[in-house]
Amino acid sequence: MVMVSGEQAADGGPGAAAVPRARGEWARHWRYDGLPGLDLLRARYVRHSFPRHAHDGYVVCAVTAGIEEVGLREGTVRAGHGGVIMLNPEVAHTARAGAPEGWAYATLYPSYEVVAEIAEETTALRGTAGFDRTVAEDPQLAGVITEIHRAAETGNALAADSLLRIAVARLLRRYGGPLPARTPRTAGARTAARARAVLEERMADPPSLERLAQELGTGPFALLRAFKGAYGMPPHTWLTDARVRRARRLLEAGHTPADTAVAVGFTDQPHLNRHFTRIVGVPPGAYRRERSA
C-alpha cells in the first residue's frame, strides 16, 4: 500500500492506489469494470509536464487545486479550481503547471462510443458529437466529475455510471457541437495521411524524413508543413505518441514493458519508461498493474 500524505489527502488524492512520484506528486491511471469505454486519471503534478500528444478519444478534466495550462495550436488556456477542460479526439496539446504549486485534477477519457451513445440519447446533435470550446468555469460540473471518480473508487457502479451519463450529457448540452469531417481535403492533407499510414505500418523501423518524403513524392520541408498542419505536430513527435498509444494496448493485453518497448520501436525499456511516463502520466509498469488488477 502507498500511504498518502496530508497534503495529498487535502488535494483529493486517490489514496492507496496512487503511484508515488517526485515530492508532492502522485497519480493513478486506471479503469473501472463498471464503466466500460472509460479511462480515469486522478493526479497531482508539480514539475511534470506533458509533451505534445493526442488521444484516440475525448478528454474531460476537472481541476481540483492549483492551475493547469494546456497548450493548443490556437494558444494556451488555463484552468483553476472548478475549471473544466475539454478536448476532442486527436487534438494535439501539451499540459503543465500554471502555478508554482502545480495542479491537481480528476480526468475522464471517454471513448467515441460512450460519447456517441449519450449524445444520441440526450441531444439533437448531428454527426460526430464533440466540444466547441476547450475550457469553462463550471464548478458544479467539475464536482460531478470528481464524484464519478469517488464512486468508481468505492466500487459503486450504479452511481458511477449514472453520474458519467449526467456529466457527459451536460457537457454536450452546454459546450457541445458537431465535429468537422476528418476526411483529408487538400493535397497536403492527403500526403500527411499517407505519411501517417507509413509510420503506423513501420513503427518499429521508420524511414528518415528524407526517405519518407521521397517515397511520397514530395520534399522534406513540404512534408513537415503538411504533417504538422494535419496533426498538430511534426512526424517524429507524432511517432513517439503513436508508439506510446500502441504500447498501452500491448500492456493492457498483458505484455511486459520490456517486450512492449521492442515491439513498438523504442530502444529499450528505459526508453519506453521515459516517453510513456511523460505522455501518459504514470510509468508503464504501474499502468499494466492497474489493468491486470
Side-chain angles (χ1 to χ4, degrees), residues 60-239:
V60 177
C61 74
V63 179
T64 57
I67 297 175
E68 180 185 10
E69 284 188 353
V70 177
L72 303 163
R73 185 180 306 188
E74 302 82 11
T76 300
V77 299
R78 293 162 55 92
H81 178 69
V84 178
I85 292 174
M86 299 156 279
L87 295 171
N88 294 314
E90 303 299 341
V91 172
H93 63 284
T94 62
R96 64 182 182 182
E101 68 270 21
W103 86 99
Y105 62 173
T107 304
L108 309 174
Y109 299 97
S111 66
Y112 261 116
E113 292 76 16
V114 167
V115 172
E117 177 191 344
I118 296 172
E120 182 177 6
E121 185 177 357
T122 63
T123 75
L125 294 175
R126 296 187 177 184
T128 302
F131 306 117
D132 58 15
R133 61 188 297 182
T134 303
V135 64
E137 291 297 319
D138 198 328
Q140 180 187 42
L141 193 45
V144 177
I145 293 168
T146 59
E147 286 300 321
I148 295 168
H149 280 261
R150 293 193 180 97
E153 288 157 9
T154 58
N156 189 337
L158 178 60
D161 190 16
S162 300
L163 291 169
L164 174 65
R165 293 173 186 277
I166 289 169
V168 173
R170 288 181 182 173
L171 284 164
L172 292 174
R173 284 199 297 269
R174 294 178 186 179
Y175 315 114
L179 293 182
R182 295 169 59 189
T183 305
R185 295 181 180 275
T186 66
R190 289 192 294 271
T191 298
R194 290 168 58 205
R196 173 173 170 158
V198 171
L199 293 175
E200 285 179 335
E201 182 179 353
R202 294 154 63 179
M203 185 173 291
D205 187 23
S208 67
L209 177 66
E210 183 176 8
R211 180 64 180 271
L212 179 59
Q214 288 176 348
E215 292 180 13
L216 299 175
T218 187
F221 284 103
L223 178 56
L224 274 174
R225 287 193 299 270
F227 202 98
K228 190 171 183 180
Y231 302 113
M233 53 188 125
H236 66 279
T237 304
W238 180 91
L239 179 61

Side-chain angles (χ1 to χ4, degrees), residues 31 39 54-57 90 196 199-201 203 238-239 241-256 260 263-264 272 276 280 284 287-288 291:
R31 285 180 182 165
D39 277 21
H55 298 272
D56 296 326
E90 303 299 341
R196 173 173 170 158
L199 293 175
E200 285 179 335
E201 182 179 353
M203 185 173 291
W238 180 91
L239 179 61
D241 186 31
R243 283 172 166 167
V244 169
R245 291 199 211 186
R246 186 170 296 180
R248 289 177 63 174
R249 292 193 290 271
L250 292 174
L251 293 168
E252 289 163 9
H255 294 267
T256 66
T260 296
V264 302
L272 167 67
F276 194 99
V280 180
Y287 184 90
R288 180 174 182 261
R291 278 139 183 83

